[in-house]
Amino acid sequence: MDKIQMKTPLVEMDGDEMTRILWQMIKDELLLPYIDLKTEYYDLGLEHRNETDDQVTVDSANATLKYGVAVKCATITPNAARMDEYKLKEMWKSPNGTIRAILDGTVFRAPILVKGIRPYVSNWTKPITLARHAYGDVYKNTEIRAEGPGKAELVFTAADGTEIRKTIQEFDGPGIIQGIHNTDKSITSFAKACFEYALSTKQDLWFSTKDTISKTYDHRFKDIFADLYETEYKEKFEAAGIEYFYTLIDDAVARVIRSEGGFIWACKNYDGDVMSDMVATAYGDLSMMTSVLVSPKGVYEYEAAHGTVQRHYYKHLKGEKTSTNSIATIFAWTGALKKRGELDGIAELSDFAEKLEKACIKTIEDGKMTKSLSLISDCKDPVILDSEGFIKAIKETLETLL
Ligand code: NAP
Ligand code: MG
């Protein structure tokens, strides 16, 4: 079989620990034998980020703006322990945060569903994609501990010097105060990313806030979504046969649980943080969650939702066998390859990526899986494979589909 040719390179962002090991195996076993793989390689492994003073992360994000599609391996976000472990010059920022800031994107997370692994919510038969607004609110707050009685005020000084001043609370004893903000610009680009992604995946879009209580703040989110929908997306949604639906966050939570899935749920920053953990857990396993960063500039970055699986990596270093699930990382590659195929008009590339996804699902449905999947699978006698064995089993299934 001739290898599939590519036109534009994918931006390849390599990463850390166990996922870096899986990354190489996936390329060697599942991609390079079939595709004349074109990538522009950036090593986001922590050692190389440290050597380049994290310039490599910035470069990889800029390359994504240039080419349009990136695939990223999980990376370490340094903390105090990592400072010692990797002898870091600085506690470098989270690569995902840096990339997101440059691409100005929204992250969409969706579970990969397979038969035999049933969501805890039994009526969820289709994936729920969660979109989290990743800017502002409580994540960029200013807080004060009031040690005793006093007056808390909210003050806005406009560029021309005029002032708006409101009393938050007259304290008669100790308390706490918090100031948060968001910007029309950030909310608009979040809304755009959501509408665009709904169109490109042909799924309904739900959005929820607490506008009944937060009549200015949350209401602004609701209005921006509604205006954008009316002016730019209504006709496109109708043509695609999909719906935009706004409801209160508490109503949304109840409806989500009763639903069968198959839609995108857009959430404010905090709601998205909390609800994405709930949705991921309810579908079964973090190692089966995909993640794509969609930028209003029309660029895409695909990755797994899980981290570098540090505990497995230390076992691997000791020469012990690991049973790490590579599915979400493989789906990061297939997501990127499908998008590249779509943008460059290479049907074989998208086709191959589809088949590789099918091979992943079929392998698990045939009873061959990693340890953590076997614990939540209905399969009577699952064959539990190690990290490499699982990728080889997927390759065998793939060969039967090609
Ligand atoms: P993690 O890598 O997601 O792993 C947490 C635990 O979940 C693992 O110990 C393992 O459980 C299970 N798990 C996750 N992915 C799995 C897989 N593919 N196959 C099998 N089991 C899997 O989170 P972490 O240990 O908290 O973080 C490790 C590093 O990843 C940190 O340095 C963090 O900064 C980084 N991180 C990166 C990203 C990213 O780049 N997007 C996201 C999150 C975290 P058992 O050990 O019980 O088997
Ligand atoms: Mg969280």
Side-chain angles (χ1 to χ4, degrees):
M1 186 183 118
D2 282 343
K3 286 193 192 183
I4 299 162
Q5 296 296 313
M6 292 176 65
K7 284 182 195 151
T8 317
L10 283 177
V11 178
E12 176 184 353
M13 305 170 174
D14 207 346
D16 288 299
E17 300 195 309
M18 201 58 214
T19 40
R20 187 181 180 97
I21 309 282
L22 299 178
W23 195 258
Q24 195 58 49
M25 288 182 194
I26 291 167
K27 283 173 66 181
D28 289 344
E29 297 289 336
L30 301 175
L31 302 175
L32 292 169
Y34 311 100
I35 305 171
D36 197 9
L37 194 66
K38 264 200 187 136
T39 73
E40 194 163 291
Y41 180 85
Y42 292 87
D43 182 1
L44 267 55
L46 186 49
E47 262 170 46
H48 194 239
R49 274 183 275 149
N50 192 50
E51 278 162 22
T52 62
D53 295 336
D54 209 23
Q55 185 58 39
V56 65
T57 307
V58 174
D59 292 346
S60 72
N62 286 327
T64 307
L65 287 177
K66 177 174 166 195
Y67 293 113
V69 186
V71 55
K72 180 179 170 291
C73 179
T75 47
I76 292 168
T77 297
N79 56 15
R82 302 296 197 170
M83 293 289 289
D84 293 338
E85 186 183 354
Y86 285 85
K87 313 243 169 326
L88 299 180
K89 297 187 235 174
E90 253 180 62
M91 202 182 288
W92 306 111
K93 286 197 212 137
S94 147
N96 288 52
T98 303
I99 295 165
R100 200 157 58 210
I102 294 172
L103 303 186
D104 176 29
T106 296
V107 173
F108 295 83
R109 278 181 163 201
I112 299 155
L113 301 192
V114 298
K115 288 195 199 89
I117 296 175
R118 277 184 283 170
Y120 289 99
V121 182
S122 55
N123 42 288
W124 286 0
T125 52
K126 296 176 191 165
I128 293 170
T129 301
L130 204 127
R132 170 179 171 190
H133 182 213
Y135 176 82
D137 302 352
V138 70
Y139 301 85
K140 232 172 161 357
N141 65 8
T142 308
E143 301 186 320
I144 295 174
R145 160 73 173 145
E147 296 290 354
K151 183 175 171 185
E153 291 179 294
L154 191 59
V155 182
F156 173 70
T157 314
D160 69 2
T162 50
E163 200 181 89
I164 302 173
R165 183 178 290 262
K166 288 187 176 182
T167 301
I168 298 170
Q169 178 70 357
E170 307 258 11
F171 287 97
D172 53 15
I176 42 183
I177 311 152
Q178 180 181 64
I180 59 170
H181 81 282
N182 224 299
T183 66
D184 281 15
K185 182 166 177 258
S186 175
I187 300 165
T188 304
S189 77
F190 172 56
K192 268 206 163 111
C194 292
F195 287 122
E196 289 291 338
Y197 197 66
L199 279 172
S200 87
T201 59
K202 296 234 180 338
Q203 298 183 86
D204 290 347
L205 175 65
W206 295 19
F207 181 48
S208 52
T209 72
K210 194 71 187 175
D211 66 291
T212 47
I213 297 295
S214 173
K215 291 189 166 60
T216 302
Y217 198 103
D218 277 22
H219 212 283
R220 187 70 198 134
F221 278 81
K222 180 183 176 182
D223 285 346
I224 286 176
F225 267 74
D227 290 349
L228 201 59
Y229 180 66
E230 286 301 323
T231 55
E232 287 185 38
Y233 290 100
K234 194 164 191 267
E235 279 169 27
K236 291 181 194 164
F237 267 51
E238 282 167 3
I242 57 174
E243 255 183 42
Y244 169 63
F245 170 60
Y246 175 85
T247 187
L248 276 178
I249 178 75
D250 28 1
D251 181 49
V253 169
R255 284 172 186 263
V256 162
I257 296 295
R258 286 197 306 263
S259 78
E260 58 170 21
F263 53 88
I264 297 165
W265 183 14
C267 287
K268 287 179 61 201
N269 211 348
Y270 174 80
D271 298 341
D273 186 351
V274 176
M275 292 304 159
S276 64
D277 282 340
M278 186 200 68
V279 171
T281 306
Y283 272 106
D285 196 328
L286 185 61
S287 67
M288 296 292 279
M289 286 297 275
T290 61
S291 176
V292 54
L293 178 74
V294 180
S295 152
K297 293 163 185 148
V299 311
Y300 297 78
E301 183 239 299
Y302 294 83
E303 65 176 316
H306 61 76
T308 61
V309 212
Q310 181 180 15
R311 218 179 55 82
H312 295 207
Y313 180 59
Y314 289 159
K315 277 175 76 179
H316 170 85
L317 287 182
K318 281 193 262 167
E320 292 170 33
K321 286 278 183 206
T322 58
S323 185
T324 317
N325 182 358
S326 46
I327 293 278
T329 306
I330 297 171
F331 271 65
W333 276 99
T334 55
L337 290 168
K338 274 198 276 185
K339 181 53 81 178
R340 200 63 273 168
E342 180 192 317
L343 293 175
D344 291 348
I346 310 172
E348 301 125 280
L349 193 60
S350 307
D351 235 43
F352 172 81
E354 289 279 351
K355 284 189 177 134
L356 179 50
E357 289 182 356
K358 283 209 181 90
C360 290
I361 291 167
K362 187 168 187 310
T363 304
I364 299 170
E365 290 179 350
D366 288 348
K368 289 172 238 166
M369 60 193 82
T370 49
K371 180 85 192 301
S372 66
L373 286 180
S374 73
L375 299 175
I376 53 170
S377 166
D378 290 345
C379 181
K380 289 276 178 315
D381 304 294
V383 181
I384 298 173
L385 299 166
D386 62 30
S387 307
E388 198 176 2
F390 185 51
I391 290 174
K392 292 223 155 104
I394 293 168
K395 186 186 172 84
E396 271 176 33
T397 316
L398 176 65
E399 294 278 347
T400 68
L401 296 178
L402 289 175

